[in-house]
């Protein structure tokens, strides 16, 4: 028996629907991977067996970066993927709004960073010095600081003497550490002929005259080196930010188009 309701030929665009689904399932899987890495790292450090230890670290725990980024990617990927596949307008609207909020926050952060350059520099200095104090407290933080100092060929926030903030490296008479008046190996200038890293190359180096230190370690701070790197790579950094912003706008527009299609089909 034929129904009296005639089909008007309007339907949801399969191209938009499955493009959003395919794009977001990649984000979803990447989010799961990031969260998995973060949970594994916390498990290795015993954090999962003692949740209160999350707040014990005085500096920045790099695992938080994996957890936050992974969490955001998981939520976006899930809502976009399932919303498109099941034609669920509620999930698609959440995806669109959430992506819009992230875009707005990124735009706001970029404007504030440009307007308040000196404040950002002071905060970066505070952040680095705070993590210098906690250098030996967390292996992930230690690796992050070492990578930063090696990559930018720097030492401390504004110089090697910033390592006086760390209990193991300060030059006070009461410091019993063998690393007293030294710096981490990542501050050392590298000898191309050396195949094995000399982890003791920074010992006692700050006990030498300032003019002699440059022969053993990088004397420039990481804040000015980061500024220099940013100026030299401004075009690349700006291109990445613009690319990410355009991708977010494109995602919002596609989601809105799919929502409109779904609502039009249901209303017909």
């Amino acid at each position: 028996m034929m129904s009296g309701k005639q089909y008007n030929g309007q339907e949801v665009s399969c191209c938009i629907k499955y493009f959003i689904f395919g794009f977001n399932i990649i984000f979803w899987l990447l989010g799961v991977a990031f969260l998995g890495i973060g949970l594994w790292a916390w498990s290795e450090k015993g954090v999962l067996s003692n949740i209160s230890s999350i707040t014990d670290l005085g500096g920045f725990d790099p695992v938080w970066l994996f957890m936050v980024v992974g969490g955001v990617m998981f939520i976006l990927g899930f809502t976009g993927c399932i919303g498109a596949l099941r034609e669920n307008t509620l999930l698609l609207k959440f995806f669109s709004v959430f992506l819009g909020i992230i875009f707005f926050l990124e735009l706001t952060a970029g404007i504030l960073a440009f307007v308040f350059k000196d404040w950002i520099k002071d905060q970066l200095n505070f952040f680095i010095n705070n993590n210098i104090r906690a250098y030996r407290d967390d292996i992930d933080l230690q690796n992050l600081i070492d990578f930063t100092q090696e990559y930018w060929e720097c030492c401390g926030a504004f110089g090697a003497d910033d390592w006086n903030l760390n209990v193991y490296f300060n030059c006070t008479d009461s410091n019993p550490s063998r690393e007293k008046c030294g710096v981490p190996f990542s501050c050392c200038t590298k000898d191309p002929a050396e195949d094995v890293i000399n982890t003791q190359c920074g010992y006692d180096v700050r006990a030498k005259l300032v003019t002699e230190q440059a022969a053993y370690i990088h004397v420039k701070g990481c804040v000015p080196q980061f500024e220099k790197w940013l100026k030299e790579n401004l075009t690349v950094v700006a291109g990445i930010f613009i690319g990410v912003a355009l991708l977010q706008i494109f995602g919002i527009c596609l989601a809105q188009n799919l929502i409109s299609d779904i609502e039009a089909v249901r209303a017909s």
Side-chain angles (χ1 to χ4, degrees), residues 188-206:
C188 298
T189 54
K190 296 294 182 290
D191 184 353
E194 287 185 354
D195 295 328
V196 180
I197 296 174
N198 179 11
T199 56
Q200 299 181 359
C201 60
Y203 283 16
D204 304 317
V205 71
R206 287 190 298 114

Side-chain angles (χ1 to χ4, degrees), residues 167-193:
V167 293
Y168 297 99
F169 294 99
N170 70 61
C171 292
T172 57
D173 294 333
S174 58
N175 184 8
S177 172
R178 178 62 188 87
E179 296 175 309
K180 174 182 175 181
C181 248
V183 291
F185 73 92
S186 52
C187 285
C188 298
T189 54
K190 296 294 182 290
D191 184 353

Side-chain angles (χ1 to χ4, degrees), residues 45 74 81 106 129 159 216 227 243 263:
K45 293 191 289 187
F74 180 85
C81 179
E106 289 172 349
N129 284 337
Y216 302 94
E227 286 183 294
E263 290 177 343

Side-chain angles (χ1 to χ4, degrees), residues 97-237:
V97 171
F98 194 25
L99 199 57
I101 291 171
I102 293 173
F103 173 74
F104 176 75
L105 290 175
E106 289 172 349
L107 186 63
T108 304
I111 294 171
L112 291 176
F114 180 77
V115 174
F116 301 104
K117 293 180 192 174
D118 293 335
W119 182 83
I120 293 295
K121 188 187 294 186
D122 291 339
Q123 292 304 306
L124 187 58
N125 178 34
F126 174 79
F127 176 77
I128 293 174
N129 284 337
N130 193 44
N131 287 301
I132 283 174
R133 292 186 182 93
Y135 177 74
R136 292 294 190 204
D137 297 346
D138 183 83
I139 187 63
D140 293 323
L141 174 61
Q142 184 175 310
N143 290 334
L144 178 63
I145 292 174
D146 286 333
F147 170 79
T148 302
Q149 293 189 144
E150 286 181 323
Y151 183 79
W152 279 316
E153 297 183 346
C154 57
C155 193
F158 282 96
D161 284 338
D162 288 333
W163 283 97
N164 269 328
L165 296 169
N166 187 277
V167 293
Y168 297 99
F169 294 99
N170 70 61
C171 292
T172 57
D173 294 333
S174 58
N175 184 8
S177 172
R178 178 62 188 87
E179 296 175 309
K180 174 182 175 181
C181 248
V183 291
F185 73 92
S186 52
C187 285
C188 298
T189 54
K190 296 294 182 290
D191 184 353
E194 287 185 354
D195 295 328
V196 180
I197 296 174
N198 179 11
T199 56
Q200 299 181 359
C201 60
Y203 283 16
D204 304 317
V205 71
R206 287 190 298 114
K208 303 178 187 294
L209 295 173
V210 176
T211 52
E212 296 177 355
Q213 291 179 15
Y216 302 94
I217 62 171
H218 301 295
V219 293
K220 294 179 180 178
C222 292
V223 173
Q225 286 294 88
F226 173 70
E227 286 183 294
K228 178 184 174 184
W229 177 87
L230 203 56
K231 289 176 182 176
E232 292 174 347
N233 298 275
L234 191 58
T235 305
V236 176
V237 173

Side-chain angles (χ1 to χ4, degrees), residues 82-111:
I82 303 301
L85 187 65
R86 304 297 299 173
E87 297 181 9
N88 187 310
T89 54
L90 181 63
L91 286 177
L92 286 171
K93 285 176 181 178
F94 178 86
F95 168 80
S96 184
V97 171
F98 194 25
L99 199 57
I101 291 171
I102 293 173
F103 173 74
F104 176 75
L105 290 175
E106 289 172 349
L107 186 63
T108 304
I111 294 171

